[in-house]
């Protein structure tokens, strides 16, 4: 199944700054998904990124705050902009495990702390 | 929008006891998936259930999908310390424009006392 390399694994950032998270997949995938997981909580979908088109954002998430790039079928970035302590969370990317195979694979996550 | 409720939030069991977590969706699902997240790790896919009333087993784990395709359960027989982690159900449903969406339950955090 697909393998995702996500980085950075963790970061501590000053409020007001931005952080870009990268996910590299070892195979071509149509859709990539970005999730947020607050400590001890469930996963919330931020947006779905398709190559060559604008990402689709879920309710409560906007492009200005979480711009996403999807330059090709194996790579995507999520930027957390103008950060505040409320953005402290784990951010994960996800793709289908394999075309036609059930289930999704997740990156190892980026643990973000905003101070 | 779709909501997926999962109970209990926490479960502490003695090693060797059984464990069950329950999942309920506000809408009919295309399928339901289960994931396990070890402490400090990321979610790992366990299984997918598609058919109404389906039951699947993986060694000591038994997964069920309700007849109405709105609820599901995961049962672990004779828990071991390696079962520690948070178990998430995730409802897969059509979200329009040819795409599907995965909605996660809040998870059940399992602790196993040796």
């Amino acid at each position: 199944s697909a393998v995702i390399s996500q980085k950075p694994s963790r970061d501590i950032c000053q409020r007001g700054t931005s952080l870009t998270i990268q996910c590299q997949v070892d195979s071509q995938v149509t859709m990539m998904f970005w999730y947020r997981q607050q400590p001890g909580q469930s996963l919330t979908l931020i947006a779905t990124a398709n190559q060559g088109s604008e990402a689709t954002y879920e309710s409560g998430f906007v492009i200005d705050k979480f711009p996403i790039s999807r330059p090709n079928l194996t790579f995507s970035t999520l930027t957390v902009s103008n950060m505040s302590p409320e953005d402290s969370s784990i951010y994960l990317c996800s793709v289908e495990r394999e075309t036609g195979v059930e289930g999704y694979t997740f990156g190892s996550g980026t643990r973000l702390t905003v101070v | 929008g779709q909501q997926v409720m999962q109970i209990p939030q926490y479960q502490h069991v003695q090693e060797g006891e059984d464990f069950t977590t329950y999942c309920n969706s506000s809408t009919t699902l295309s399928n339901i998936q289960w994931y396990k997240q070890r402490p400090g790790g990321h979610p790992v896919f366990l299984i997918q259930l598609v058919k109404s009333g389906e039951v699947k087993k993986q060694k000591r784990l038994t997964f069920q999908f309700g007849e109405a395709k709105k609820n599901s359960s995961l049962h672990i027989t004779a828990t071991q310390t390696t079962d520690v982690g948070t178990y998430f159900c995730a409802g897969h449903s059509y979200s329009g424009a040819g795409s599907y969406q995965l909605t996660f339950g809040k998870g059940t955090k399992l602790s196993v006392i040796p």
Side-chain angles (χ1 to χ4, degrees):
Chain A
S1 58
V3 176
I4 302 174
S5 174
Q6 181 173 347
K7 57 182 181 181
S9 58
R10 58 179 65 231
D11 207 342
I12 300 173
C13 301
Q14 295 289 326
R15 67 174 68 202
T17 63
S18 298
L19 175 72
T20 296
I21 302 166
Q22 300 180 4
C23 275
Q24 177 75 51
V25 189
D26 68 344
S27 58
Q28 294 184 340
V29 293
T30 304
M31 291 190 290
M32 292 182 73
F33 305 90
W34 287 97
Y35 288 87
R36 182 173 72 185
Q37 185 177 29
Q38 293 175 313
Q41 301 297 314
S42 185
L43 288 85
T44 301
L45 182 64
I46 298 171
T48 302
N50 290 326
Q51 192 267 337
S53 63
E54 291 274 331
T56 303
Y57 289 82
E58 298 302 310
S59 175
F61 299 96
V62 295
I63 187 170
D64 289 347
K65 176 66 177 178
F66 297 101
I68 287 171
S69 79
R70 184 80 203 275
N72 57 55
L73 291 173
T74 64
F75 187 79
S76 180
T77 68
L78 170 77
T79 298
V80 187
S81 303
N82 188 24
M83 290 184 285
S84 67
E86 291 72 37
D87 295 319
S88 297
S89 192
I90 299 171
Y91 294 85
L92 302 110
C93 59
S94 176
V95 301
E96 286 185 326
R97 289 200 305 152
E98 198 174 320
T99 302
V101 172
E102 57 200 31
Y104 293 83
T105 293
F106 286 82
S108 54
T110 297
R111 184 179 293 269
L112 170 63
T113 302
V114 183
V115 297
Chain B
Q2 180 187 320
Q3 291 185 328
V4 176
M5 282 71 72
Q6 189 174 354
I7 58 169
Q9 189 174 359
Y10 302 96
Q11 187 81 57
H12 306 278
V13 299
Q14 288 285 142
E15 189 172 16
E17 290 183 343
D18 292 355
F19 159 77
T20 304
T21 173
Y22 301 91
C23 193
N24 193 58
S25 169
S26 58
T27 60
T28 302
L29 300 169
S30 304
N31 61 64
I32 194 157
Q33 301 178 9
W34 286 90
Y35 292 80
K36 177 182 179 180
Q37 185 173 26
R38 293 182 187 275
H42 57 275
V44 175
F45 174 77
L46 293 176
I47 209 161
Q48 175 174 287
L49 303 169
V50 178
K51 300 176 184 176
S52 170
E54 188 170 15
V55 177
K56 286 188 176 180
K57 292 191 175 185
Q58 287 180 349
K59 298 183 181 178
R60 294 178 294 104
L61 278 62
T62 301
F63 304 84
Q64 292 188 318
F65 201 12
E67 294 291 338
K69 299 184 70 172
K70 296 178 73 173
N71 56 69
S72 182
S73 65
L74 158 59
H75 179 83
I76 302 178
T77 303
T79 54
Q80 300 175 358
T81 55
T82 53
D83 296 326
V84 164
T86 301
Y87 292 84
F88 291 97
C89 61
H92 210 208
S93 60
Y94 184 65
S95 58
S99 64
Y100 286 80
Q101 184 174 20
L102 206 57
T103 303
F104 282 81
K106 290 189 179 296
T108 296
K109 186 174 182 179
L110 173 64
S111 301
V112 178
I113 305 164

